Amino acid sequence: GNPIPTCTSEVEPNNTAGTAQLLNLTAQNATMVCASINPGGDVDFFQMNAVAAGSKIWITTDPGGTQNPGATSRDLVIDLLAADGTTVIENDDDDGTGNGGDGTVETGLASAIGGRTLVAGGTYYIRVRAFSGTAIVDPYKMFVVVTPSSMGTPEVEANNTSATANAIITSGTTTDIRTGAIGAAGDVDFYSAVLTAGNILVVNADADPERDGTGTDLVVEVIAPDGTTILLSF
């Protein structure tokens, strides 16, 4: 089975690129961080080193679940920054879903960046902040995955039912990418993942891989092992 994930706690101060917390990207090039925007006006910087040229980065924030006392918001904004710590490569506000790891969606004000190509190799930063300059978002989780340029397998039709689903995560694997298309009206694509109890499943769908401003309005559903029961829809 797949390993049960652990969460790396945020270490303050990390309010500038100069004090950014280094992300421990494991052999799977993935990490999970447990953090907060607290007090109001707080900003969190995270650093990634030795990123290979041509890699793609997938960032998901989750401010859902039970909030700590004093929290006033779930609305997060993320910025992917270049090696200078200031140049914004990509920004996102409200493209993520906050559910706290269960089947209840608390907010659509989370943020996500999916499949951004990192053209140059080297150092990159992630900046997380509240949409409001005075809001407290406590807690949130951030999931970061860096995938090699070679990863990405086209979907195989027909995969319109759970019985014909394309396998993404099989026993022993943790990360994979599928490229696909909603090729006709009414088309649906099914993918399967072999998981262990306690695993956290992170799904990040890039609806505009060309970055041309024209994307597909996708709906993603997480379905139980019976192939029909919808556990989460976003």
Side-chain angles (χ1 to χ4, degrees):
N2 301 314
I4 305 301
T6 58
C7 204
T8 299
S9 297
E10 173 195 9
V11 178
E12 291 280 6
N14 62 341
N15 294 50
T16 67
T19 60
Q21 181 173 343
L22 184 63
L23 293 181
N24 179 24
L25 294 173
T26 64
Q28 289 79 33
N29 293 321
T31 191
M32 174 173 62
V33 179
C34 290
S36 65
I37 300 298
N38 191 9
D42 183 28
V43 180
D44 295 339
F45 278 78
F46 302 93
Q47 180 178 346
M48 299 168 291
N49 290 340
V51 177
S55 299
K56 292 182 182 294
I57 189 168
W58 311 77
I59 309 167
T60 306
T61 61
D62 182 3
T66 302
Q67 292 181 298
N68 291 324
T72 62
S73 175
R74 298 182 188 270
D75 195 351
L76 288 173
V77 178
I78 56 175
D79 299 293
L80 175 63
L81 306 176
D84 60 8
T86 58
T87 301
V88 177
I89 297 172
E90 188 162 328
N91 161 273
D92 187 73
D93 180 30
D94 298 350
D95 277 330
T97 301
N99 67 307
D102 58 26
T104 302
V105 174
E106 282 80 28
T107 183
L109 301 178
S111 294
I113 292 176
R116 180 69 191 210
T117 299
L118 305 176
V119 177
T123 296
Y124 290 87
Y125 296 90
I126 300 168
R127 178 172 60 201
V128 185
R129 55 190 170 90
F131 179 80
S132 166
T134 60
I136 295 173
V137 182
D138 187 9
Y140 72 87
K141 287 186 175 70
M142 181 178 68
F143 305 88
V144 180
V145 180
V146 177
T147 56
S149 57
S150 59
M151 184 177 287
T153 303
E155 68 167 317
V156 178
E157 293 281 5
N159 61 343
N160 293 44
T161 68
S162 59
T164 59
N166 289 187
I168 293 185
I169 299 176
T170 57
S171 181
T173 65
T174 58
T175 304
D176 207 347
I177 300 175
R178 285 294 183 275
T179 59
I182 303 300
D187 183 29
V188 294
D189 296 334
F190 277 77
Y191 302 92
S192 65
V194 177
L195 303 173
T196 300
N199 281 162
I200 295 177
L201 176 65
V202 179
V203 181
N204 191 326
D206 179 7
D208 183 17
E210 301 85 3
R211 294 302 192 271
D212 59 5
T214 302
T216 303
D217 188 4
L218 294 175
V219 175
V220 177
E221 295 173 333
V222 179
I223 298 175
D226 63 11
T228 58
T229 303
I230 297 175
L231 302 177
L232 187 68
S233 179
F234 56 95

